[in-house]
Amino acid sequence: MKLSFSTLGCPKYTLDEVVSTAKDNGYEGVEIRFLRGEVALENLEEFSPSGIRKTKAALDAAEVAVACLDTSVRFTSPDPAERAKQQNAALTYARMAAELGTSYIRVFGGAVPESSPEREETTKRIAEGLAEAAAAVKAEGITAVLETHDSFCTSTQVAELLSYAPNDDLAILWDVLHSYRTGESLEDTWRALGDRIRHVHLKDSSRYSPTEFNFELTGAGTMPIREFTALLQREGYEGYLSFEWEKAWHPEIEEPEVAIPQYAAYMRPLLAEVAAR
């Protein structure tokens, strides 16, 4: 297993700052969500047709890989124009991902209403949009990974989504906090989704439930990080454990200069320990 961090945790960093932070703290990869305060990466020179080659060269020179490229793609809207926009965004990010040498783009399911039949209609609409997007980006050599998030935190919710539009192209990004805080055990999530899990988000918390959670520095909370890491080791997971410190959405939490090095310092000995078992 390898360590990466999401730039959601350092949203104002430049590319040089992201690369140096990764290199200085022994990260093998970075997950790109923000850069220079911009979430729409396609608008930045660093990801333009000419600039993206320089971005890849800077990452390669530091021996830092792109673990995943994060989109905001979701298909909750029934509006055909909006759905076409989301499909185009998925393809744009897939082509950027291919240039950067990563295999994955992150996509969302989004939130669905609680009441029927609107809930079923929305879930079906999301499933069909994700299936189409996953097939389209697969043709570009990229895998779309659906994050366990919003209305699709648990394996049961993901299974319901997939039942409306079954497909083998869509993989899973397991955000362990979101599945665990709903009451689903680590083992149950893996048992149901393990064959689709390609990427992992990890963060610690001390106050979490189906309706809320807080953020703690890694190891300071009560999330079962050791058990989670041991499970992944036992099951042969060889992807990234990506630190998702939500600084962009929660500016009150610790600064990236604290949280990102601390995650690596905590996780390195833990990975060595579970690997030695």
Side-chain angles (χ1 to χ4, degrees), residues 31-247:
E31 180 174 347
I32 305 179
R33 175 59 164 157
F34 270 85
L35 198 67
R36 295 194 286 115
E38 177 63 71
V39 71
L41 300 176
E42 68 276 16
N43 293 336
L44 293 173
E45 171 60 27
E46 290 89 338
F47 301 95
S48 68
S50 59
I52 200 165
R53 290 191 289 273
K54 295 177 183 177
T55 297
K56 179 66 162 60
L59 290 160
D60 287 348
E63 298 183 330
V64 175
V66 177
C68 185
L69 195 61
D70 290 352
T71 81
S72 300
V73 168
R74 67 195 76 203
F75 294 95
T76 49
S77 174
D79 178 55
E82 178 59 27
R83 292 173 71 79
K85 179 181 176 182
Q86 296 300 310
Q87 292 290 350
N88 288 336
L91 276 174
T92 296
Y93 273 75
R95 289 162 183 159
M96 288 162 53
E99 289 274 2
L100 292 167
T102 185
S103 299
Y104 307 116
I105 62 166
R106 188 275 308 278
V107 295
F108 285 124
V112 301
E114 290 296 325
S115 59
S116 300
E118 189 178 2
R119 179 175 180 274
E120 289 80 3
E121 292 170 356
T122 304
T123 304
K124 183 174 185 290
R125 187 163 62 239
I126 293 167
E128 291 172 346
L130 287 172
E132 182 181 346
V137 304
K138 195 73 170 180
E140 302 287 335
I142 301 299
T143 299
V145 288
L146 170 67
E147 182 170 349
T148 54
H149 195 272
D150 296 320
S151 293
F152 304 99
C153 289
T154 69
S155 63
T156 301
Q157 292 166 333
V158 172
E160 180 187 6
L161 178 74
L162 292 172
S163 73
Y164 286 100
N167 73 88
D168 295 326
D169 296 324
L170 186 66
I172 298 296
L173 188 170
W174 185 9
D175 188 312
V176 65
L177 173 61
H178 292 318
S179 62
Y180 191 77
R181 70 186 175 86
T182 64
E184 185 169 81
S185 73
L186 303 177
E187 292 78 7
D188 283 349
T189 305
W190 181 269
R191 189 177 302 113
L193 299 177
D195 61 341
R196 288 183 185 256
I197 292 171
R198 300 290 180 270
H199 190 53
V200 163
H201 278 176
L202 190 56
K203 48 186 171 278
D204 207 350
S205 177
S206 61
R207 187 180 69 251
Y208 44 88
S209 72
T211 57
E212 66 170 353
F213 58 92
N214 70 337
F215 297 92
E216 301 281 3
L217 292 174
T218 311
T222 57
M223 282 292 293
I225 293 173
R226 183 179 302 274
E227 292 85 346
F228 176 66
T229 307
L231 169 66
L232 294 178
Q233 174 73 22
R234 188 168 63 247
E235 296 295 341
Y237 175 77
E238 295 182 344
Y240 286 91
L241 298 175
S242 197
F243 181 46
E244 192 186 42
W245 190 244
E246 298 188 13
K247 183 68 175 177

